[in-house]
Amino acid sequence: DGSRSFLPVRIGSLILHAPGAAPAGAWVEVTRASERSIEASFTLVDATGGTVAALTGVRFKAVRISRARRPSELTYRNALVRLTPASGSRGEWGARLPELAAALTAAEAPELSAGALLIDTTARRIARDALAGLATESQVLDAEALIAEGRLAPSARPLFERMLMALEEDEAVGRAEDGKALLDPDPPYPPLSALVEALFAEAPRRIVEISRLMALPSALPQLLEQGPGETAEGPMTAAQLRLAASGPAGEGRWAALSGVLEAALGRARRDARLEVLILGAAPSALIDRAAKAPEVSGVTVSDPDPRHARSLEVGDPERNGVAHVALDEIPEDARFDLVLAGDALHRMSATQLSDLRQRLAPGAGIAAAEEAPSLPADLTEGGDAHWWAETVDPALPVGRLRYAAEW
C-alpha cells in the first residue's frame, strides 16, 4: 500500500562462488511472507547467467514509512504575518526569493535513504523499550496512573505522549475500549542490537546521530521518571559545533544554503553590495565564499546561543570583512540584505526572531534550512525543558521543530 518498507535484519548464509565477478542480475525466491516480515533467498548472477553468490534465509522486518497526522496540526495557533515591509512593497531580494527558491527546488521529494529509515526505526525501538518498562502486566500505559504512582514526571508527559503517538502509527500501541493505550507485546521492530549493527554497516557517516541515539536506552527511562530539565551543555569548540552538524542531513542543509548564496550572487546587480548574516555553525567554505565575493560588503557570523557564537569566534581564523558577533549583541542599526540560517530558527526565542526582523534591510531575504520534526529529534532533544514550550495540551505534544509551511 506504499506505507511500508522492509529492512534487512538477518542473513542466514552467504556463499561466494565467483570472487571479483560483477553481478548483472538476481533471482529472488520469497520463502515466507507476512505483514511484518519477509524471508527470501537470492541468487546473484553475472552477464552469462553464472552464479556469483547465493544468499539464503535473508529476513526483512516491516517498517512504516508514511506517518499519521503531525502533532502540530492538531494544535490551534494564531500568528501575525506582515504582508509588506514597513517601508512599502518588497525590494529586490524579497521579489527575487521565489525565483531563487524555484531554481533550487527539486521536482520531487527524494526518497528516504536506508540510513534515515534505520535511524527512525531505531528511535522507535528505543521508545518502545522505554515504554515497556512503564506498562502494567496487562500492557496498559496510563499516563495519569503513572504520574500518581511517581513513575512518570508530569513535565515528561509531552515526551511520553509523543512516544505513544509514534508507536500508534506502527500499530505497536493500540487502544482499549476505555481509550487507554495498550502496548503490543510483540514489537514490530527488529531487536535493537540488529538495528545498531545495520546502522554501522549501512550509515557509518551518521555516526553523530547514532551516538546520540545510543545514549537513549539508559537516559530515556530516567528522563521519563524525573522530567526534562535545563540544558547543561558545556562550551563547545567551533570544530565540535561543526562536527555536530556533520553527516548527510547536516551537510545537505548547508549545501542548500550554499546554493542559495551562489544563486543570489549570480543574480545580483553589478553595483550591488550585500550585507550577509550567517546563523549557525556554517562550513568554512561558505563563509569564505561570501567574504570573498565582490558583491558582498560584509559578513556577520552569529548563533542564537551566545556560547556557540563565542566558540565560533575563537575557533575560526580572522577574515577580512567577517565579524563574529553574538546574536543579542548585533547593533540595532545593522541591516542585512541576505540571511542564511542553518538549524538556527528553532533555537531562537521570540525576542530574537523579532530583533532579527528589525535588522533586515528593505526587501531582504531569509533562507533557512531546518530539520523537519521527527521522533529521533524529539527523543534526543526532549530532555530540554524548553523543547516542549509550545505544547498547550500534554496529550498533543509540540516540539520546537517546524515544517516548512509552519515557518
Side-chain angles (χ1 to χ4, degrees):
D1 61 359
S3 66
R4 292 178 185 266
S5 183
F6 288 85
L7 293 177
V9 296
R10 178 181 177 272
I11 297 177
S13 68
L14 188 156
I15 301 176
L16 186 61
H17 293 277
W27 294 99
V28 181
E29 179 185 359
V30 177
T31 53
R32 289 194 306 171
S34 70
E35 289 186 356
R36 294 188 173 183
S37 65
I38 291 176
E39 185 170 309
S41 297
F42 296 79
T43 303
L44 305 183
V45 297
D46 60 21
T48 66
T51 300
V52 175
L55 297 85
T56 61
V58 183
R59 295 189 62 189
F60 298 79
K61 280 282 190 179
V63 295
R64 286 186 178 270
I65 58 175
S66 64
R67 301 302 177 200
R69 293 188 66 185
R70 303 164 180 170
S72 58
E73 291 179 346
L74 305 175
T75 301
Y76 179 81
R77 294 193 191 92
N78 284 323
L80 298 178
V81 178
R82 177 183 292 174
L83 299 181
T84 59
S87 58
S89 60
R90 292 185 302 175
E92 177 186 359
W93 293 107
R96 287 193 172 188
L97 272 182
E99 175 190 351
L100 299 181
L104 297 166
T105 300
E108 296 181 359
E111 293 185 3
L112 289 176
S113 66
L117 283 172
L118 282 167
I119 289 286
D120 182 74
T121 303
T122 302
R124 290 167 187 272
R125 177 72 206 211
I126 293 172
R128 189 268 171 197
D129 291 347
L131 290 179
L134 296 175
T136 66
E137 291 184 2
S138 55
Q139 302 301 310
V140 174
L141 288 163
D142 185 342
E144 293 182 0
L146 290 168
I147 291 173
E149 295 168 6
R151 301 174 62 198
L152 176 66
S155 59
R157 186 167 179 182
L159 176 59
F160 175 86
E161 297 288 352
R162 176 69 180 94
M163 294 160 64
L164 282 182
M165 293 177 74
L167 298 190
E168 281 191 87
E169 295 168 3
D170 299 335
E171 299 175 3
V173 165
R175 291 287 172 176
E177 292 183 1
D178 60 3
K180 293 180 180 177
L182 292 175
L183 186 67
D184 189 335
D186 183 17
Y189 315 110
L192 182 58
S193 58
L195 287 167
V196 173
E197 184 177 350
L199 272 172
F200 280 109
E202 296 289 337
R205 294 191 62 241
R206 292 182 176 266
I207 185 61
V208 174
E209 296 166 87
I210 297 172
S211 62
R212 298 188 73 187
L213 283 178
M214 290 304 94
L216 289 175
S218 59
L220 199 52
Q222 182 178 352
L223 175 59
L224 290 169
E225 181 180 0
Q226 299 180 3
E230 296 294 327
T231 302
E233 179 189 279
M236 299 178 70
T237 65
Q240 288 173 320
L241 290 171
R242 292 195 171 98
L243 176 62
S246 65
E251 291 171 4
R253 288 190 283 273
W254 281 112
L257 292 174
S258 296
V260 171
L261 176 63
E262 291 298 336
L265 296 178
R267 290 165 171 78
R269 300 193 315 266
R270 290 186 177 182
D271 60 345
R273 292 296 180 268
L274 307 177
E275 282 290 336
V276 178
L277 172 63
I278 299 175
L279 296 175
S284 296
L286 186 151
I287 300 174
D288 289 336
R289 177 68 179 101
K292 295 176 181 179
E295 302 87 354
V296 174
S297 58
V299 177
T300 300
V301 178
S302 189
D303 191 273
D305 188 326
R307 298 169 301 177
H308 293 184
R310 175 60 178 164
S311 295
L312 293 171
E313 179 183 8
V314 172
D316 281 356
E318 291 188 9
R319 300 177 175 91
N320 291 330
V322 177
H324 286 78
V325 185
L327 188 59
D328 298 333
E329 297 176 1
I330 293 177
E332 292 186 5
D333 59 351
R335 294 295 181 267
F336 299 102
D337 302 289
L338 181 63
V339 179
L340 304 175
D343 281 327
L345 294 187
H346 76 272
R347 296 187 290 117
M348 295 174 67
S349 66
T351 299
Q352 287 178 322
L353 287 169
S354 177
D355 289 345
L356 176 61
R357 294 189 192 99
Q358 299 300 319
R359 286 163 177 75
L360 298 177
I366 299 179
E370 293 282 323
E371 181 178 357
S374 67
L375 180 66
D378 286 334
L379 293 184
T380 55
E381 302 291 347
D384 183 347
H386 300 292
W387 188 256
W388 307 105
E390 294 289 325
T391 298
V392 177
D393 182 349
L396 299 173
V398 178
R400 299 194 69 167
L401 297 177
R402 298 284 182 270
Y403 292 93
E406 294 176 280
W407 282 119

